[in-house]
Amino acid sequence: MRKRFLFIFLLALISLSSCVDVVEHYDFKADGSCKVAYTFDMGQAVSVLMNLMTDSIKATPQFNAARDTTLNFYSAMPDSTQQRMTIDQVNLAKSSNLSVQMNLPKNIMKISISHEAKNAADLQYYLQNISKIESQSNIRSVSKAEKTINGFDAQQLLGGQDYYAYEVTPHKFYRIIDKAKFNAFLKKTQSTFVMAKAMLIEMPYKVVLNFAKPVKKLYNSKAVLSADHKRVILQTNMEEIIKNPSVMNLKIDF
């Protein structure tokens, strides 16, 4: 019962995917490897859901229990799924983790999805396939009976990540948003964004890329290049992205 409650609440928070501070973080190393992480800070979502929780639920030990756990994607998959996977899919899943920090009374809920890419090809494969691998794991299917909580669809955390086309090489990081796929994503999640806007919830989105050597060319007028040319930061929000999806396009030569 304890695990069931926590995962139901987690699914509710995940479904509020527009009510979070989202950060994409890339650390490119000199040897060609890269650590990439998506961090979803759901503090705002927690504060909103707190108003919907009854006093009896807030008083339970489950609600007040703090969590700091890490779950590997591969270990979260059923044996039947593992047996159908290719070698590349297995390697991707084994090198990808989901970390959860949760302290509901303090409005703390952070979810991080991280991956260690060995090289540029590995990074491109990860970026193009992580949403598919994540959908095959048990991370989102712990309780299929509660597919929706309070009217929110709990299937949106990474679903939109496949609306990018990537070109990644040892000296290049390009991504272009596919507007048709993005519009399809917006159509599925429209009610969530409308509700978030009605609640006056901001939806900041930041992309941070750290490089081992200086960036030679940066194609995005909104992105900021650091003084040493080794860091690129793109700061925007979902409202701006919806109005102008191209703001998320990045072309970086390094």
Side-chain angles (χ1 to χ4, degrees):
M1 181 66 184
R2 178 182 179 182
K3 291 183 178 180
R4 182 181 177 84
F5 167 82
L6 290 174
F7 275 112
I8 289 174
F9 197 90
L10 174 60
L11 287 176
L13 291 170
I14 288 175
S15 68
L16 285 164
S17 58
S18 65
C19 305
V20 301
D21 292 352
V22 183
V23 179
E24 289 183 51
H25 204 119
Y26 300 82
D27 284 320
F28 292 87
K29 307 299 182 182
D31 63 0
S33 63
C34 179
K35 180 177 181 179
V36 56
Y38 297 89
T39 300
F40 303 82
D41 187 342
M42 302 184 179
Q44 290 189 70
V46 172
S47 63
V48 171
L49 287 175
M50 286 286 281
N51 296 324
L52 304 176
M53 294 291 145
T54 64
D55 290 339
S56 60
I57 291 179
K58 293 179 182 179
T60 60
Q62 297 96 321
F63 186 88
N64 290 279
R67 290 275 177 168
D68 190 350
T69 60
T70 297
L71 179 67
N72 180 260
F73 269 65
Y74 186 76
S75 62
M77 295 178 178
D79 293 341
S80 58
T81 299
Q82 294 177 0
Q83 293 169 2
R84 295 195 304 268
M85 296 171 69
T86 65
I87 295 298
D88 287 338
Q89 290 174 331
V90 169
N91 291 335
L92 186 156
K94 286 185 175 181
S95 56
S96 301
N97 295 315
L98 174 100
S99 300
V100 178
Q101 290 180 297
M102 181 169 63
N103 191 322
L104 303 182
K106 294 184 178 180
N107 292 342
I108 295 175
M109 170 58 87
K110 290 184 180 180
I111 295 179
S112 296
I113 297 171
S114 60
H115 175 74
E116 296 277 355
K118 298 177 182 178
N119 49 45
D122 187 15
L123 177 59
Q124 176 154 336
Y125 183 83
Y126 169 79
L127 295 172
Q128 292 179 333
N129 291 277
I130 182 57
S131 62
K132 301 173 186 177
I133 297 296
E134 186 266 348
S135 66
Q136 293 175 331
S137 73
N138 273 340
I139 290 173
R140 288 191 306 180
S141 59
V142 176
S143 179
K144 293 182 179 179
E146 286 77 18
K147 184 177 180 181
T148 57
I149 308 295
N150 293 325
F152 295 107
D153 186 358
Q155 302 291 322
Q156 299 171 2
L157 183 57
L158 282 182
Q161 292 302 318
D162 62 359
Y163 50 60
Y164 291 116
Y166 290 93
E167 183 181 355
V168 183
T169 74
H171 304 287
K172 181 187 298 184
F173 180 87
Y174 286 10
R175 80 169 183 193
I176 303 296
I177 197 166
D178 185 317
K179 293 184 179 180
K181 290 184 177 180
F182 182 69
N183 288 334
F185 166 74
L186 290 181
K187 187 175 181 180
K188 292 180 181 178
T189 58
Q190 183 178 15
S191 60
T192 305
F193 289 119
V194 170
M195 185 171 294
K197 188 173 182 178
M199 293 178 178
L200 302 179
I201 296 175
E202 296 182 358
M203 299 170 280
Y205 200 119
K206 180 188 289 186
V207 184
V208 179
L209 303 101
N210 294 316
F211 297 91
K213 49 191 175 183
V215 170
K216 296 177 180 179
K217 292 182 180 180
L218 170 62
Y219 302 90
N220 185 308
S221 59
K222 190 175 179 63
V224 177
L225 186 62
S226 64
D228 64 359
H229 287 209
K230 291 185 177 181
R231 172 176 286 191
V232 174
I233 296 179
L234 174 60
Q235 181 77 60
T236 183
N237 56 67
M238 284 306 301
E239 185 173 0
E240 182 178 19
I241 295 170
I242 291 171
K243 292 179 180 179
N244 178 25
S246 297
V247 73
M248 296 300 288
N249 291 344
L250 282 169
K251 289 187 176 182
I252 304 172
D253 294 327
F254 56 94

